[in-house]
Amino acid sequence: NEEVKEDIKTYVIALGTALLLRLLIIEPRYIPSLSMYPTFDVGDQLAVEKVTKRIRPFNRKEIVVFNPPQNFRDIVSNQYGGDRKAKEALIKRIVATEGDEVEVKEGHLFVNGVKQDEPFTNEDAAYEFGPVVVPEGELLVLGDNRNHSLDGHIWGFLPKENVIGRAVFIYWPPWRVGNDGMF
C-alpha cells in the first residue's frame, strides 16, 4: 500500500543522509583508554569533524583522530600480538607540524626552542625525545597523558593523509559535554 511505500522511502532517505553525514562531515568516536587523560576519560564520546582537514592546515594543540601509521601497527603487532588493535583509529594532540624542531627534555616539550605551555597534560614527561625536525607532510602527535601513551615519541611521525578529522566536542556523558582543553 502507499503508506508503507512512503514510510520505506522516508527511512531510506533518513538512513542515506545519516550515512552520508558520517562518511563526509562528522562522526562519533569513543575513548577506550587513558592516553589522552585528563582531556578525555575512558568512555567519553566525542564528535570528530572531517571537513576542515581538507581546507585549512593543521595547528599545534589541535586534537586529531587518525588511522595509525605503519610504525605503530608494527610495534603493536610485534610487542602485543594484536593485529586488530593495530588497525584501530587513534586520538592524540598535535604538538608539532612540518618543519618544526621538537624536543622533550626535563619533562617539558620544546618546539623550535620554545618551552610550550601545556596545561592540558596529566604530568611532566618522564622521558627524553629529540631534537627532531618534523618532515614535510607529517605531524608529531602525543597523548596528553604523556607517560602512559603509545604515541609519536615511540613510533615517530604521523602522515597527514592518515588524519580522519579533528575532535570538536564531547557529547557524552552529559556532565562532560563541551570542548574544554581541546584547543
Side-chain angles (χ1 to χ4, degrees), residues 125-141:
Y127 57 84
E128 303 287 314
F129 175 76
V132 295
V133 175
V134 181
E136 187 175 326
E138 308 215 352
L139 304 166
L140 182 65
V141 295

Side-chain angles (χ1 to χ4, degrees), residues 27-180:
E27 72 177 57
R29 286 290 169 165
Y30 170 83
I31 303 299
S33 76
L34 290 173
S35 72
M36 285 296 291
Y37 184 83
T39 306
F40 300 126
D41 208 344
V42 172
D44 284 355
Q45 295 181 35
L46 53 113
V48 176
E49 67 84 17
K50 302 160 99 174
V51 176
T52 60
K53 71 177 185 171
R54 296 179 187 95
I55 57 176
R56 75 174 166 88
F58 293 107
N59 298 305
R60 288 184 220 125
K61 298 188 179 180
E62 290 179 325
I63 297 174
V64 291
V65 173
F66 56 92
N67 294 313
Q70 188 61 48
N71 285 352
F72 174 88
R73 292 194 304 257
D74 293 343
I75 289 168
V76 171
S77 293
N78 294 336
Q79 292 184 8
Y80 304 103
D83 284 337
R84 192 178 131 259
K85 275 262 188 238
K87 295 175 184 170
E88 290 179 4
L90 303 173
I91 183 166
K92 305 288 178 211
R93 188 178 301 271
I94 297 171
V95 298
T97 60
E98 56 191 358
D100 285 339
E101 182 183 73
V102 188
E103 184 174 14
V104 176
K105 62 181 178 182
E106 299 172 7
H108 301 286
L109 174 70
F110 292 81
V111 177
N112 301 322
V114 178
K115 182 180 172 185
Q116 301 298 294
D117 179 32
E118 298 186 298
F120 43 76
T121 58
N122 190 42
E123 59 192 353
D124 290 346
Y127 57 84
E128 303 287 314
F129 175 76
V132 295
V133 175
V134 181
E136 187 175 326
E138 308 215 352
L139 304 166
L140 182 65
V141 295
L142 299 177
D144 288 354
N145 197 355
R146 296 284 155 84
N147 299 317
H148 305 283
S149 180
L150 182 57
D151 57 28
H153 86 277
I154 295 170
W155 47 259
F157 302 108
L158 172 67
K160 287 181 181 180
E161 64 264 13
N162 286 35
V163 174
I164 295 168
R166 291 174 166 97
V168 287
F169 66 91
I170 297 171
Y171 64 86
W172 191 262
W175 56 88
R176 291 189 38 87
V177 168
N179 61 5
D180 290 346

